Amino acid sequence: MRCNRFLTLALLTAASLSLASGCATRERIRPLFPPAADLRPQPKPQLRPEDLESEAALDAYEIRLEAWGEAGWQAVSRVCRWAEANGAELPFECGG
C-alpha cells in the first residue's frame, strides 16, 4: 500500500509540473542578428554608355549614386545602433 501511495504522489507531482509550464508567461524572443536587409549588399548603380551623351542622364546617375551611398550609410548606422543596444562597447558614437 505504501508503494501505491508513493507512486500516486509521484505521478501527481509530475503531472502538475508539466501543466505549470504551460501557464507561464511567454518571454519575448530577441533576434540574435541585425535585420537581414541591413546585411545584404546593394549593387552600386552603373554608368551606362548612353548616359555620357546627355547632361540630364549624368545628373540622374549622380542622384542614383548619391541615394545608393546614403542608403548604405543608413544601414551601417542601424547595425551600429543594434550592436550598441545588444551590449557592444564601441569606441565611437553610432550617430542618429
Side-chain angles (χ1 to χ4, degrees):
M1 188 90 140
R2 188 171 187 205
C3 249
N4 285 342
R5 191 177 301 160
F6 178 73
L7 183 59
T8 303
L9 183 59
L11 287 174
L12 285 174
T13 303
S16 65
L17 288 175
S18 68
L19 293 175
S21 66
C23 297
T25 58
R26 303 258 186 239
E27 185 177 333
R28 184 175 175 271
I29 297 173
R30 294 179 55 182
L32 295 176
F33 303 105
D38 289 340
L39 299 176
R40 185 176 298 116
Q42 299 297 320
K44 182 178 178 182
Q46 297 299 311
L47 182 63
R48 299 173 301 215
E50 58 268 14
D51 291 345
L52 297 172
E53 296 173 9
S54 92
E55 197 66 33
L58 279 175
D59 289 343
Y61 167 73
E62 288 178 6
I63 290 170
R64 286 193 316 269
L65 188 63
E66 182 72 21
W68 171 80
E70 286 295 321
W73 282 113
Q74 288 172 358
V76 168
S77 182
R78 286 189 299 270
V79 170
C80 182
R81 287 191 308 271
W82 173 87
E84 195 173 52
N86 284 285
E89 295 181 18
L90 303 173
F92 50 84
E93 300 239 351
C94 290

